[in-house]
Coordinates of all heavy atoms in Angstrom, one line a residue:
M1 N -0.9 -19.8 -15.7 CA -0.7 -19.9 -14.2 C -1.4 -21.1 -13.7 O -2.6 -21.3 -14.1 CB -1.3 -18.6 -13.6 CG -1.2 -18.7 -12.0 SD -1.9 -17.3 -11.2 CE -1.7 -15.9 -12.2
D2 N -0.7 -21.9 -13.0 CA -1.3 -23.1 -12.4 C -2.1 -22.8 -11.2 O -1.9 -21.7 -10.6 CB -0.3 -24.2 -12.3 CG 0.8 -23.8 -11.2 OD1 0.9 -22.7 -10.9 OD2 1.5 -24.7 -10.8
L3 N -2.9 -23.8 -10.8 CA -3.7 -23.6 -9.6 C -3.0 -23.4 -8.3 O -3.3 -22.6 -7.5 CB -4.7 -24.8 -9.5 CG -5.7 -24.8 -8.4 CD1 -6.6 -23.6 -8.6 CD2 -6.4 -26.0 -8.3
L4 N -1.9 -24.0 -8.2 CA -1.1 -23.9 -7.0 C -0.5 -22.5 -6.8 O -0.5 -21.9 -5.8 CB 0.1 -24.9 -6.9 CG 1.0 -25.0 -5.8 CD1 0.0 -25.4 -4.6 CD2 2.1 -26.0 -5.8
A5 N 0.0 -22.0 -7.9 CA 0.4 -20.6 -7.9 C -0.6 -19.5 -7.5 O -0.4 -18.7 -6.7 CB 1.2 -20.2 -9.2
L6 N -1.8 -19.9 -8.0 CA -2.9 -19.0 -7.8 C -3.3 -19.0 -6.3 O -3.6 -18.1 -5.6 CB -4.1 -19.3 -8.7 CG -5.4 -18.4 -8.4 CD1 -5.1 -17.0 -8.8 CD2 -6.6 -19.1 -9.2
I7 N -3.4 -20.3 -5.7 CA -3.8 -20.4 -4.4 C -2.7 -19.8 -3.5 O -3.0 -19.1 -2.4 CB -3.9 -22.0 -4.0 CG1 -5.1 -22.5 -4.6 CG2 -3.9 -22.2 -2.6 CD1 -5.4 -24.0 -4.7
M8 N -1.4 -19.9 -3.8 CA -0.4 -19.3 -3.0 C -0.4 -17.7 -3.0 O -0.2 -17.2 -2.1 CB 1.1 -19.8 -3.6 CG 2.1 -19.5 -2.7 SD 1.9 -20.6 -1.4 CE 3.5 -20.5 -0.6
Q9 N -0.8 -17.2 -4.2 CA -1.0 -15.7 -4.3 C -2.2 -15.3 -3.4 O -2.1 -14.3 -2.8 CB -1.2 -15.3 -5.7 CG 0.2 -15.5 -6.5 CD 0.0 -15.2 -8.0 OE1 -1.1 -15.0 -8.5 NE2 1.1 -15.1 -8.7
I10 N -3.2 -16.0 -3.4 CA -4.4 -15.7 -2.6 C -4.1 -15.8 -1.2 O -4.4 -14.9 -0.4 CB -5.6 -16.5 -3.0 CG1 -6.1 -16.1 -4.5 CG2 -6.7 -16.4 -2.1 CD1 -7.3 -17.1 -5.0
Y11 N -3.3 -16.7 -0.8 CA -2.8 -17.0 0.6 C -2.0 -15.8 1.0 O -2.2 -15.3 2.0 CB -2.0 -18.3 0.6 CG -1.4 -18.6 2.0 CD1 -2.4 -19.1 3.0 CD2 -0.1 -18.5 2.2 CE1 -1.8 -19.3 4.2 CE2 0.4 -18.8 3.5 CZ -0.5 -19.3 4.5 OH 0.0 -19.5 5.8
V12 N -1.1 -15.4 0.2 CA -0.2 -14.3 0.6 C -1.1 -13.0 0.7 O -0.9 -12.1 1.5 CB 1.0 -14.0 -0.5 CG1 1.6 -12.7 -0.2 CG2 1.9 -15.2 -0.3
F13 N -2.0 -12.8 -0.2 CA -3.0 -11.7 -0.2 C -3.8 -11.6 1.1 O -3.9 -10.5 1.7 CB -3.9 -11.7 -1.4 CG -4.7 -10.5 -1.5 CD1 -4.2 -9.2 -1.8 CD2 -6.1 -10.6 -1.4 CE1 -5.0 -8.2 -1.9 CE2 -6.9 -9.6 -1.6 CZ -6.4 -8.3 -1.8
V14 N -4.3 -12.7 1.5 CA -5.1 -12.7 2.7 C -4.2 -12.5 3.9 O -4.7 -11.8 4.8 CB -5.9 -14.1 2.8 CG1 -6.5 -14.4 4.2 CG2 -7.0 -14.2 1.7
L15 N -3.0 -13.1 3.9 CA -2.2 -12.7 5.0 C -1.7 -11.3 5.1 O -1.7 -10.7 6.1 CB -0.9 -13.5 4.9 CG -1.0 -15.1 5.4 CD1 0.3 -15.8 5.2 CD2 -1.3 -15.1 6.9
A16 N -1.6 -10.6 3.9 CA -1.2 -9.2 3.9 C -2.3 -8.4 4.5 O -2.2 -7.4 5.3 CB -0.9 -8.8 2.5
I17 N -3.6 -8.8 4.2 CA -4.8 -8.0 4.7 C -4.9 -8.2 6.2 O -5.1 -7.2 6.8 CB -6.1 -8.6 4.0 CG1 -6.1 -8.2 2.5 CG2 -7.3 -8.1 4.8 CD1 -7.3 -8.9 1.8
F18 N -4.6 -9.4 6.8 CA -4.7 -9.7 8.1 C -3.5 -8.9 8.8 O -3.8 -8.2 9.8 CB -4.6 -11.1 8.4 CG -4.6 -11.5 9.8 CD1 -5.7 -11.4 10.6 CD2 -3.4 -11.8 10.6 CE1 -5.7 -11.7 12.0 CE2 -3.5 -12.1 11.9 CZ -4.6 -12.1 12.6
V19 N -2.4 -9.0 8.4 CA -1.2 -8.2 9.1 C -1.5 -6.7 9.0 O -1.4 -6.0 9.9 CB 0.0 -8.6 8.3 CG1 1.1 -7.6 8.8 CG2 0.4 -10.0 8.6
G20 N -1.9 -6.2 7.9 CA -2.3 -4.7 7.7 C -3.4 -4.3 8.7 O -3.1 -3.3 9.4
F21 N -4.4 -5.1 8.9 CA -5.5 -4.7 9.8 C -5.0 -4.8 11.3 O -5.3 -3.9 12.0 CB -6.7 -5.8 9.6 CG -7.7 -5.5 10.5 CD1 -8.7 -4.3 10.3 CD2 -8.0 -6.2 11.6 CE1 -9.7 -4.1 11.1 CE2 -9.0 -5.9 12.5 CZ -9.9 -4.9 12.2
E22 N -4.3 -5.8 11.6 CA -3.7 -5.9 12.9 C -2.8 -4.8 13.2 O -2.8 -4.2 14.4 CB -3.0 -7.3 13.2 CG -4.0 -8.4 13.2 CD -4.9 -8.3 14.4 OE1 -4.4 -7.9 15.6 OE2 -6.0 -8.6 14.3
L23 N -1.8 -4.4 12.3 CA -0.9 -3.3 12.5 C -1.6 -1.9 12.6 O -1.3 -1.3 13.6 CB 0.0 -3.2 11.2 CG 1.2 -2.3 11.3 CD1 2.1 -2.6 12.5 CD2 1.8 -2.2 10.0
I24 N -2.6 -1.7 11.8 CA -3.4 -0.4 12.0 C -4.1 -0.3 13.3 O -4.2 0.8 13.9 CB -4.2 -0.2 10.7 CG1 -3.5 0.1 9.5 CG2 -5.2 1.0 11.0 CD1 -2.6 1.2 9.5
T25 N -4.7 -1.4 13.7 CA -5.6 -1.2 14.9 C -4.7 -1.3 16.3 O -5.1 -0.8 17.2 CB -6.4 -2.4 15.0 OG1 -5.8 -3.7 14.9 CG2 -7.6 -2.4 13.9
K26 N -3.4 -1.7 16.2 CA -2.6 -1.9 17.3 C -1.7 -0.6 17.4 O -1.1 -0.4 18.6 CB -1.6 -3.1 17.3 CG -2.5 -4.4 17.2 CD -3.0 -4.8 18.5 CE -3.5 -6.2 18.4 NZ -4.9 -6.4 18.3
V27 N -1.4 0.2 16.5 CA -0.6 1.3 16.5 C -1.2 2.5 17.2 O -2.5 2.8 16.9 CB -0.1 1.7 15.1 CG1 0.7 3.1 15.2 CG2 0.8 0.6 14.5
P28 N -0.7 3.1 18.2 CA -1.3 4.3 18.9 C -1.4 5.5 17.9 O -0.5 5.6 16.9 CB -0.4 4.5 20.1 CG 1.0 3.9 19.8 CD 0.6 2.7 18.8
P29 N -2.2 6.4 18.2 CA -2.5 7.5 17.2 C -1.2 8.4 17.0 O -1.1 9.0 15.9 CB -3.6 8.4 17.8 CG -4.4 7.4 18.7 CD -3.3 6.3 19.2
T30 N -0.3 8.5 18.1 CA 0.8 9.4 17.9 C 1.9 8.8 16.9 O 2.8 9.5 16.5 CB 1.5 9.5 19.2 OG1 1.9 8.2 19.9 CG2 0.6 10.3 20.3
L31 N 1.7 7.5 16.6 CA 2.7 6.9 15.6 C 2.1 6.8 14.3 O 2.7 6.2 13.4 CB 3.1 5.5 16.1 CG 4.0 5.5 17.4 CD1 4.2 4.1 17.9 CD2 5.2 6.3 17.3
H32 N 1.0 7.3 14.0 CA 0.4 7.2 12.7 C 1.2 7.9 11.7 O 1.3 7.4 10.4 CB -1.1 7.6 12.7 CG -2.0 6.6 13.2 ND1 -3.4 6.7 13.3 CD2 -1.9 5.4 13.7 CE1 -3.9 5.7 13.8 NE2 -3.1 4.9 14.0
T33 N 1.8 9.1 12.0 CA 2.4 9.8 10.9 C 3.7 9.1 10.5 O 4.0 9.0 9.2 CB 2.9 11.3 11.5 OG1 1.6 12.0 11.8 CG2 3.6 12.1 10.4
P34 N 4.6 8.6 11.3 CA 5.7 7.8 10.9 C 5.4 6.6 10.2 O 6.0 6.1 9.3 CB 6.5 7.5 12.2 CG 6.0 8.4 13.2 CD 4.6 8.8 12.9
L35 N 4.2 5.9 10.6 CA 3.6 4.7 9.9 C 3.2 5.1 8.5 O 3.4 4.4 7.6 CB 2.6 4.1 10.7 CG 2.0 2.8 10.1 CD1 3.1 1.7 10.1 CD2 0.7 2.5 10.8
M36 N 2.6 6.3 8.4 CA 2.2 6.8 7.1 C 3.4 7.1 6.1 O 3.3 6.7 4.9 CB 1.4 8.1 7.2 CG 1.0 8.6 5.9 SD -0.5 7.8 5.3 CE -1.7 8.2 6.3
S37 N 4.5 7.5 6.7 CA 5.6 7.8 5.9 C 6.3 6.5 5.4 O 6.7 6.4 4.3 CB 6.6 8.6 6.7 OG 6.2 9.8 7.0
G38 N 6.4 5.5 6.3 CA 6.7 4.2 6.0 C 5.9 3.5 4.9 O 6.4 2.9 4.0
S39 N 4.6 3.7 5.0 CA 3.7 3.2 4.0 C 3.8 3.8 2.8 O 3.7 3.1 1.7 CB 2.3 3.3 4.6 OG 1.4 3.5 3.6
N40 N 4.2 5.1 2.6 CA 4.6 5.7 1.4 C 5.7 5.2 0.7 O 5.7 4.8 -0.5 CB 4.7 7.3 1.6 CG 3.4 7.9 1.8 OD1 2.4 7.4 1.6 ND2 3.6 9.1 2.4
A41 N 6.7 4.8 1.4 CA 7.9 4.1 0.9 C 7.5 2.8 0.3 O 8.0 2.4 -0.7 CB 9.0 4.1 2.0
I42 N 6.7 2.1 1.0 CA 6.4 0.7 0.6 C 5.4 0.9 -0.7 O 5.5 0.1 -1.7 CB 5.6 -0.1 1.7 CG1 6.6 -0.4 2.8 CG2 4.9 -1.3 1.1 CD1 6.0 -0.9 4.0
S43 N 4.7 1.8 -0.7 CA 3.8 2.1 -1.9 C 4.6 2.4 -3.1 O 4.3 2.2 -4.3 CB 2.8 3.1 -1.7 OG 1.8 2.7 -0.8
G44 N 5.8 3.2 -2.9 CA 6.7 3.4 -4.0 C 7.2 2.1 -4.6 O 7.3 2.0 -5.8
I45 N 7.5 1.1 -3.8 CA 8.1 -0.2 -4.2 C 6.8 -0.9 -4.9 O 7.0 -1.7 -5.9 CB 8.4 -1.1 -3.0 CG1 9.7 -0.5 -2.4 CG2 8.7 -2.5 -3.4 CD1 10.1 -1.2 -1.1
T46 N 5.6 -0.7 -4.5 CA 4.4 -1.3 -5.0 C 4.2 -0.7 -6.5 O 3.9 -1.4 -7.5 CB 3.1 -1.0 -4.3 OG1 3.3 -1.6 -3.0 CG2 1.9 -1.7 -4.9
I47 N 4.4 0.5 -6.6 CA 4.4 1.2 -7.9 C 5.3 0.6 -9.0 O 4.9 0.3 -10.1 CB 4.6 2.7 -7.9 CG1 3.3 3.4 -7.1 CG2 4.8 3.4 -9.2 CD1 3.5 4.8 -6.9
V48 N 6.5 0.4 -8.5 CA 7.5 -0.2 -9.4 C 7.1 -1.7 -9.9 O 7.2 -2.0 -11.1 CB 9.0 -0.3 -8.8 CG1 10.0 -1.0 -9.6 CG2 9.5 1.2 -8.6
G49 N 6.6 -2.4 -8.8 CA 6.2 -3.8 -9.2 C 5.0 -3.8 -10.0 O 4.9 -4.7 -10.9
A50 N 4.1 -2.8 -9.8 CA 2.9 -2.8 -10.7 C 3.2 -2.5 -12.1 O 2.6 -3.0 -13.0 CB 1.8 -1.8 -10.0
L51 N 4.2 -1.5 -12.3 CA 4.6 -1.2 -13.6 C 5.2 -2.4 -14.3 O 5.0 -2.6 -15.5 CB 5.6 -0.1 -13.5 CG 5.0 1.4 -13.3 CD1 6.1 2.4 -13.0 CD2 4.0 1.8 -14.4
I52 N 5.9 -3.2 -13.5 CA 6.7 -4.3 -14.2 C 5.5 -5.3 -14.6 O 5.6 -5.8 -15.8 CB 7.7 -4.9 -13.2 CG1 8.9 -3.9 -13.1 CG2 8.2 -6.3 -13.8 CD1 9.9 -4.4 -12.0
V53 N 4.6 -5.6 -13.8 CA 3.6 -6.5 -14.1 C 2.7 -6.1 -15.2 O 2.4 -6.8 -16.1 CB 2.7 -6.8 -12.7 CG1 1.5 -7.7 -13.1 CG2 3.5 -7.5 -11.7
A54 N 2.3 -4.9 -15.1 CA 1.4 -4.3 -16.2 C 2.1 -4.2 -17.5 O 1.5 -4.4 -18.6 CB 0.9 -2.9 -15.7
G55 N 3.4 -4.0 -17.5 CA 4.2 -3.8 -18.7 C 4.6 -5.1 -19.4 O 5.0 -5.0 -20.6
E56 N 4.5 -6.2 -18.7 CA 4.9 -7.4 -19.2 C 3.9 -7.9 -20.3 O 4.4 -8.5 -21.4 CB 5.1 -8.6 -18.3 CG 6.4 -8.4 -17.2 CD 6.4 -9.5 -16.3 OE1 5.4 -10.3 -16.0 OE2 7.5 -9.8 -15.7
G57 N 2.7 -7.7 -20.1 CA 1.7 -8.0 -21.1 C 1.5 -9.4 -21.3 O 1.2 -9.9 -22.5
Q58 N 1.7 -10.4 -20.3 CA 1.7 -11.7 -20.5 C 0.2 -12.2 -20.8 O 0.0 -13.0 -21.6 CB 2.1 -12.5 -19.3 CG 3.6 -12.4 -19.1 CD 4.1 -13.2 -18.0 OE1 3.3 -13.8 -17.2 NE2 5.4 -13.3 -17.8
N59 N -0.7 -11.6 -20.0 CA -2.1 -11.8 -20.3 C -3.0 -10.5 -19.9 O -2.4 -9.8 -19.1 CB -2.7 -13.1 -19.6 CG -2.5 -13.1 -18.2 OD1 -2.5 -12.0 -17.5 ND2 -2.4 -14.2 -17.6
M60 N -4.2 -10.5 -20.2 CA -5.1 -9.4 -19.9 C -5.2 -9.2 -18.4 O -5.3 -8.1 -17.9 CB -6.4 -9.5 -20.7 CG -7.2 -8.3 -20.5 SD -6.3 -6.8 -21.2 CE -7.1 -6.8 -22.8
L61 N -5.4 -10.4 -17.6 CA -5.7 -10.3 -16.3 C -4.5 -9.5 -15.5 O -4.8 -8.7 -14.7 CB -6.0 -11.7 -15.6 CG -6.2 -11.6 -14.1 CD1 -7.5 -10.9 -13.8 CD2 -6.4 -13.1 -13.7
S62 N -3.3 -10.1 -15.8 CA -2.2 -9.4 -15.1 C -2.0 -8.0 -15.4 O -1.6 -7.2 -14.6 CB -0.9 -10.2 -15.5 OG -0.5 -10.0 -16.8
T63 N -2.3 -7.6 -16.7 CA -2.2 -6.1 -17.1 C -3.3 -5.4 -16.3 O -2.9 -4.3 -15.8 CB -2.4 -6.0 -18.6 OG1 -1.5 -6.8 -19.3 CG2 -2.3 -4.6 -19.0
I64 N -4.5 -5.9 -16.2 CA -5.6 -5.1 -15.5 C -5.2 -5.0 -14.0 O -5.4 -3.9 -13.3 CB -6.8 -5.8 -15.7 CG1 -7.3 -5.6 -17.2 CG2 -7.9 -5.2 -14.8 CD1 -8.6 -6.3 -17.6
L65 N -4.8 -6.1 -13.4 CA -4.4 -6.1 -11.9 C -3.2 -5.3 -11.7 O -3.2 -4.5 -10.6 CB -4.2 -7.5 -11.5 CG -5.4 -8.5 -11.3 CD1 -4.9 -9.9 -10.9 CD2 -6.3 -7.8 -10.4
G66 N -2.3 -5.3 -12.6 CA -1.1 -4.3 -12.5 C -1.6 -2.8 -12.5 O -1.1 -2.0 -11.8
L67 N -2.4 -2.6 -13.4 CA -3.0 -1.2 -13.5 C -3.8 -0.8 -12.3 O -3.6 0.3 -11.9 CB -3.9 -1.1 -14.8 CG -4.5 0.3 -15.1 CD1 -3.3 1.2 -15.4 CD2 -5.5 0.2 -16.2
V68 N -4.6 -1.7 -11.9 CA -5.4 -1.4 -10.5 C -4.4 -1.1 -9.4 O -4.6 -0.2 -8.6 CB -6.3 -2.5 -10.2 CG1 -7.0 -2.4 -8.9 CG2 -7.5 -2.5 -11.3
A69 N -3.3 -2.0 -9.3 CA -2.4 -1.8 -8.2 C -1.7 -0.5 -8.4 O -1.3 0.2 -7.4 CB -1.5 -3.1 -8.1
L70 N -1.4 -0.1 -9.6 CA -0.7 1.0 -9.8 C -1.5 2.3 -9.4 O -1.0 3.3 -8.8 CB -0.3 1.2 -11.3 CG 0.4 2.5 -11.7 CD1 1.7 2.6 -11.1 CD2 0.5 2.6 -13.3
I71 N -2.9 2.2 -9.7 CA -3.8 3.3 -9.4 C -3.9 3.4 -7.9 O -3.8 4.6 -7.3 CB -5.1 3.2 -10.1 CG1 -5.0 3.3 -11.6 CG2 -6.1 4.1 -9.4 CD1 -6.3 2.9 -12.3
F72 N -4.1 2.4 -7.2 CA -4.3 2.4 -5.7 C -2.9 2.8 -5.1 O -3.0 3.5 -4.1 CB -4.7 1.0 -5.1 CG -6.3 0.8 -5.4 CD1 -6.6 -0.3 -6.0 CD2 -7.1 1.8 -5.0 CE1 -8.0 -0.5 -6.1 CE2 -8.5 1.6 -5.2 CZ -8.9 0.4 -5.9
A73 N -1.8 2.4 -5.5 CA -0.6 2.7 -4.9 C -0.3 4.2 -5.1 O 0.2 5.0 -4.2 CB 0.6 1.9 -5.4
T74 N -0.6 4.7 -6.2 CA -0.4 6.1 -6.5 C -1.4 7.0 -5.6 O -1.0 8.0 -5.1 CB -0.8 6.4 -8.0 OG1 0.1 5.7 -8.7 CG2 -0.5 7.9 -8.3
I75 N -2.6 6.5 -5.5 CA -3.5 7.3 -4.5 C -3.0 7.2 -3.2 O -3.0 8.4 -2.4 CB -4.9 6.6 -4.5 CG1 -5.6 6.9 -5.9 CG2 -5.8 7.0 -3.4 CD1 -6.9 6.1 -6.1
N76 N -2.4 6.2 -2.7 CA -1.8 6.0 -1.4 C -0.6 6.8 -1.1 O -0.4 7.5 -0.1 CB -1.5 4.5 -1.1 CG -1.1 4.3 0.5 OD1 -1.5 5.1 1.2 ND2 -0.3 3.3 0.7
V77 N 0.3 7.0 -2.2 CA 1.4 7.9 -2.1 C 1.0 9.4 -2.1 O 1.5 10.1 -1.2 CB 2.4 7.6 -3.3 CG1 3.5 8.7 -3.4 CG2 3.0 6.3 -3.1
V78 N 0.1 9.7 -2.9 CA -0.2 11.1 -2.9 C -1.1 11.5 -1.7 O -0.8 12.5 -1.1 CB -1.1 11.4 -4.2 CG1 -1.8 12.8 -4.1 CG2 -0.3 11.2 -5.4
G79 N -2.0 10.6 -1.2 CA -2.8 10.9 -0.1 C -1.9 10.9 1.2 O -2.0 11.8 2.1
G80 N -0.9 10.0 1.2 CA 0.0 9.8 2.4 C 0.9 11.1 2.5 O 1.1 11.6 3.5
Y81 N 1.3 11.5 1.3 CA 2.2 12.8 1.2 C 1.4 14.0 1.7 O 1.9 14.8 2.6 CB 2.7 13.1 -0.2 CG 3.4 14.4 -0.3 CD1 4.7 14.4 0.2 CD2 2.7 15.4 -0.8 CE1 5.4 15.6 0.1 CE2 3.4 16.7 -0.9 CZ 4.7 16.8 -0.5 OH 5.3 18.0 -0.5
L82 N 0.2 14.1 1.4 CA -0.6 15.3 1.8 C -1.0 15.2 3.3 O -0.9 16.2 4.0 CB -1.9 15.3 0.9 CG -1.8 15.7 -0.5 CD1 -3.2 15.5 -1.2 CD2 -1.2 17.0 -0.7
V83 N -1.3 14.1 3.8 CA -1.6 13.9 5.2 C -0.3 14.2 6.0 O -0.3 15.0 7.0 CB -2.1 12.5 5.5 CG1 -2.2 12.3 7.0 CG2 -3.5 12.4 4.9
T84 N 0.9 13.6 5.6 CA 2.1 13.9 6.3 C 2.5 15.3 6.3 O 2.9 15.9 7.3 CB 3.2 13.0 5.6 OG1 2.8 11.6 5.7 CG2 4.4 13.2 6.4
D85 N 2.3 16.0 5.1 CA 2.7 17.4 5.0 C 1.7 18.2 6.0 O 2.3 19.1 6.7 CB 2.4 17.9 3.6 CG 3.0 19.3 3.4 OD1 4.1 19.5 3.8 OD2 2.2 20.1 2.8
R86 N 0.5 17.8 6.0 CA -0.4 18.5 6.9 C -0.1 18.3 8.4 O -0.1 19.3 9.2 CB -1.9 18.1 6.7 CG -2.8 18.8 7.4 CD -4.2 18.4 7.0 NE -5.2 19.1 8.0 CZ -6.4 18.6 8.2 NH1 -6.8 17.5 7.5 NH2 -7.4 19.1 9.0
M87 N 0.3 17.1 8.7 CA 0.7 16.8 10.1 C 2.0 17.5 10.5 O 2.0 18.1 11.7 CB 0.9 15.4 10.3 CG -0.4 14.5 10.0 SD -1.5 14.7 11.5 CE -0.7 13.6 12.7
L88 N 3.0 17.6 9.5 CA 4.1 18.3 9.9 C 4.0 19.8 10.1 O 4.7 20.5 10.8 CB 5.2 18.0 8.8 CG 5.7 16.5 8.8 CD1 6.7 16.3 7.6 CD2 6.4 16.2 10.1
K89 N 3.0 20.4 9.4 CA 2.7 21.8 9.5 C 2.2 22.1 10.9 O 2.5 23.2 11.4 CB 1.8 22.2 8.5 CG 2.4 22.5 7.1 CD 1.3 23.0 6.1 CE 1.9 23.0 4.7 NZ 0.9 23.4 3.7
M90 N 1.6 21.1 11.6 CA 1.1 21.3 12.9 C 2.2 21.5 13.9 O 2.0 22.1 15.0 CB 0.2 20.2 13.3 CG -1.0 20.0 12.5 SD -1.9 18.6 12.8 CE -2.1 18.5 14.6
F91 N 3.5 21.0 13.6 CA 4.5 21.1 14.5 C 5.4 22.3 14.3 O 6.3 22.6 15.0 CB 5.4 19.8 14.4 CG 4.7 18.6 14.9 CD1 4.2 17.6 13.9 CD2 4.5 18.4 16.2 CE1 3.6 16.5 14.4 CE2 3.8 17.3 16.7 CZ 3.3 16.4 15.7
K92 N 5.2 23.0 13.2 CA 6.0 24.2 13.0 C 5.6 25.4 13.8 O 4.4 25.5 14.1 CB 5.9 24.7 11.5 CG 6.6 23.7 10.5 CD 6.4 24.2 9.1 CE 7.2 23.2 8.1 NZ 7.0 23.7 6.8
K93 N 6.6 26.2 14.2 CA 6.2 27.4 15.0 C 5.7 28.5 14.2 O 6.1 28.7 13.1 CB 7.6 27.8 15.7 CG 8.1 26.9 16.8 CD 9.4 27.5 17.4 CE 9.8 26.4 18.4 NZ 11.1 26.8 19.1
K94 N 4.7 29.2 14.8 CA 4.0 30.3 13.9 C 4.6 31.6 14.3 O 5.2 31.8 15.3 CB 2.5 30.2 14.3 CG 1.9 29.0 13.8 CD 0.5 29.0 14.1 CE -0.2 27.7 13.6 NZ -1.6 27.6 14.1

């Protein structure tokens, strides 16, 4: 990997952090559940991408980063599902 590609990836990563922080702080609490559901869908895409990167085996760094991304995306999907399920139970009639 050349230096320009690494700088570009760091640039995209920093922008993603900034956009995520701004999005979470600006969304009202009533919209957190739909946002969580959308985030779960995006994490599903992340899982597929992480599997592809980790499975290529080009070098050890990409395999480790792919594995870390896979673990965090899986935690996000499972946690998001549990939170969404709990929130939806609050709207059911007893």
Side-chain angles (χ1 to χ4, degrees):
M1 176 184 330
D2 62 345
L3 183 62
L4 185 61
L6 180 65
I7 290 172
M8 199 62 163
Q9 290 173 353
I10 291 172
Y11 179 73
V12 169
F13 183 68
V14 170
L15 280 178
I17 290 172
F18 179 73
V19 169
F21 181 77
E22 288 295 317
L23 184 67
I24 292 298
T25 56
K26 302 280 191 260
V27 170
T30 55
L31 294 178
H32 278 185
T33 301
L35 182 63
M36 181 74 73
S37 298
S39 150
N40 288 342
I42 293 171
S43 290
I45 296 169
T46 305
I47 287 175
V48 172
L51 284 172
I52 291 171
V53 169
E56 284 181 346
Q58 289 186 354
N59 58 27
M60 187 59 100
L61 180 63
S62 66
T63 303
I64 291 171
L65 289 177
L67 181 64
V68 170
L70 179 65
I71 291 170
F72 282 129
T74 303
I75 290 171
N76 192 23
V77 167
V78 171
Y81 174 77
L82 292 175
V83 169
T84 302
D85 187 52
R86 184 175 172 202
M87 296 283 284
L88 290 176
K89 283 181 183 175
M90 293 170 53
F91 295 107
K92 288 183 181 177
K93 293 181 180 177
K94 297 178 183 175

